[in-house]
Amino acid sequence: MQENKQDNWLLRNLQEIRNTIFPEDANDTVFKKTGKRIGWSMFLMLVLCAAIGVLTAASFAH
């Protein structure tokens, strides 16, 4: 993995997660690439909703 000093910690980790779950392949069809992009977006929304849910639950538990 080639490290770029300009990227911050969050962007580097998000890129590594994306390459692990949805690896890019030059032989992918347009539909497969689109499906991977949609899947990545849905994954990020799911993680964001889970984080908001945990924060909400923690605020009520306080």
Side-chain angles (χ1 to χ4, degrees), residues 2-3 5 7-9 11-12 15-16 20 27 32 36-41 45 56 59:
Q2 198 176 30
E3 290 185 295
K5 298 289 182 186
D7 289 340
N8 64 15
W9 176 84
L11 292 178
R12 280 194 318 260
Q15 187 65 34
E16 184 175 347
T20 302
N27 297 327
K32 194 163 192 172
K36 287 183 179 183
R37 287 188 200 116
I38 292 170
W40 176 246
S41 300
M45 284 190 277
T56 304
S59 68

Side-chain angles (χ1 to χ4, degrees), residues 5-61:
K5 298 289 182 186
Q6 296 173 348
D7 289 340
N8 64 15
W9 176 84
L10 182 63
L11 292 178
R12 280 194 318 260
N13 284 320
L14 283 175
Q15 187 65 34
E16 184 175 347
I17 292 169
R18 183 176 185 177
N19 289 336
T20 302
I21 298 174
F22 303 105
E24 295 178 6
D25 189 8
N27 297 327
D28 285 345
T29 63
V30 175
F31 293 117
K32 194 163 192 172
K33 288 180 184 178
T34 304
K36 287 183 179 183
R37 287 188 200 116
I38 292 170
W40 176 246
S41 300
M42 290 174 67
F43 174 77
L44 287 179
M45 284 190 277
L46 179 67
V47 169
L48 180 63
C49 289
I52 291 170
V54 167
L55 289 174
T56 304
S59 68
F60 282 116

